[in-house]
Amino acid sequence: MNRFSHFLAIDWSGAKGARHKGIALALADLGDGPPRLLRRDQLWSREDVLVLLRDDLPPDTLVGMDLGIALPFADCGAFFPGWEHSPPHAKALWALIDDLCADDPHLEAGGALRHRELARYFRHGGAHEGDRFHAPDAASREGRFRVAEQAQRAMGCRPVSNFNLVGAAQVGKSSLTGMRLLHRLGGALPVWPVDPLPQAGSVLVEIYTALASLAALPARRGRKVRDHSVLNEALAALGSGPVAGSGPIDDHSADALLTAAWLRLNGEDVRLWAPPALDRRLAQTEGWTFGAR
């Protein structure tokens, strides 16, 4: 018997503003039919997604959000080493970020990045790099990484540190806005592995869409899909029927569609719910990326 009956992939955005081209949602049902985009009369807002997750999810949905649900912790024993108010676990981190950003509209995260102490841990635009962006003994200039992100690298992906706010591949801002959403869910939807996997019902996990792309089209090494024909080739590799359309497709929609099919294929794999490196302390501080091993 299947644990889940619906599979929702969310490509997320950390950009300023109310509504975003970068937010795309795709839903797959059981079977091998194609996933479908969830469309609205206007672009999605982050608040729209919060309402959907809290109040309008189909039953028994595995939700994947493309963001980092926490910041690095294991490498230094703290999210913000050297700051006496560094939160002790992920849920306290979410609450802190939401509190610091209380005056920011649209679940934006500017308040956290303007905070005198927290700003020291991030790489900002304009060649501004906080003096605590790197771990104290770091050899790399890429910043700090979570254990799950190290696992992603071992699988052939190239994640960017969640403390990095610069460049097209950065997910720092989207992770921070996502933490505001996770806090405001208020327990209405369990967030694995910070919360244990419930015996029944819906659950939210962190996803990395490059893992889905890498699984479906390994020769492309996780690169973005921007054409319907390539998308349908990838969907077929995941046991899914094709979506309608031809020619170009925006990468946000393609990421969501492909990852919804990937979640359907892999959501019942018990091995992915018990990665070897994941213990309870890591689960409650850094969390994990579903599919990383």
Side-chain angles (χ1 to χ4, degrees):
M1 182 176 180
N2 290 302
R3 167 68 175 76
F4 299 105
S5 55
H6 303 88
F7 305 87
L8 176 65
I10 302 174
D11 204 39
W12 189 243
S13 173
K16 290 183 178 181
R19 299 188 176 276
H20 303 279
K21 293 180 180 179
I23 297 180
L25 285 73
L27 184 69
D29 302 325
L30 286 175
D32 59 2
R36 64 187 186 277
L37 290 172
L38 300 186
R39 300 192 181 276
R40 303 173 59 81
D41 294 335
Q42 52 189 336
L43 295 174
W44 284 93
S45 70
R46 285 184 283 261
E47 292 91 342
D48 292 336
V49 177
L50 174 59
V51 170
L52 172 70
L53 295 178
R54 193 172 52 204
D55 302 326
D56 295 325
L57 269 183
D60 301 321
T61 299
L62 175 56
V63 179
M65 291 192 71
D66 185 25
L67 48 76
I69 62 173
L71 296 171
F73 187 102
D75 61 339
C76 296
F79 296 118
F80 307 109
W83 185 44
E84 61 179 348
H85 300 298
S86 184
H89 51 72
K91 288 191 175 182
L93 174 65
W94 303 345
L96 172 68
I97 298 302
D98 193 51
D99 181 62
L100 293 177
C101 301
D103 293 332
D104 291 308
H106 317 306
L107 296 181
E108 293 174 9
L113 300 177
R114 292 188 298 268
H115 187 271
R116 183 176 62 183
E117 290 298 322
L118 262 62
R120 299 174 66 185
Y121 295 87
F122 290 87
R123 174 181 283 162
H124 306 263
H128 173 206
E129 183 176 290
D131 64 312
R132 291 181 173 176
F133 173 67
H134 303 285
D137 58 351
S140 168
R141 301 302 298 170
E142 295 182 80
R144 297 168 56 203
F145 289 90
R146 297 182 300 155
V147 176
E149 291 151 2
Q150 299 289 3
Q152 294 168 17
R153 289 190 160 215
M155 297 172 71
C157 295
R158 296 293 297 178
V160 176
S161 170
N162 288 341
F163 284 114
N164 184 6
L165 309 174
V166 181
Q170 65 88 14
V171 294
K173 294 175 183 177
S174 61
S175 295
L176 293 172
T177 61
M179 290 176 203
R180 296 195 67 188
L181 176 143
L182 296 176
H183 176 67
R184 293 189 177 207
L185 280 174
L189 180 64
V191 180
W192 178 88
V194 177
D195 298 309
L197 179 66
Q199 293 295 313
S202 299
V203 64
L204 186 150
V205 300
E206 171 187 325
I207 56 173
Y208 182 27
T209 58
L211 288 178
S213 179
L214 188 66
L217 299 170
R220 292 178 59 87
R221 300 182 180 275
R223 292 196 298 272
K224 293 290 187 182
V225 172
R226 294 185 172 88
D227 184 86
H228 275 90
S229 63
V230 178
L231 172 61
N232 282 329
E233 178 186 349
L235 289 173
L238 299 176
S240 171
V243 297
S246 61
I249 182 172
D250 70 275
D251 60 300
H252 305 294
S253 296
D255 281 348
L257 289 163
L258 180 59
T259 309
W262 179 86
L263 284 170
R264 177 172 59 191
L265 181 66
N266 292 283
E268 308 292 342
D269 188 341
V270 296
R271 296 170 299 175
L272 300 185
W273 296 102
L278 185 64
D279 58 25
R280 194 66 200 138
R281 178 165 175 77
L282 189 66
Q284 293 181 331
T285 53
E286 292 194 353
W288 196 259
T289 310
F290 185 73
R293 302 184 224 179

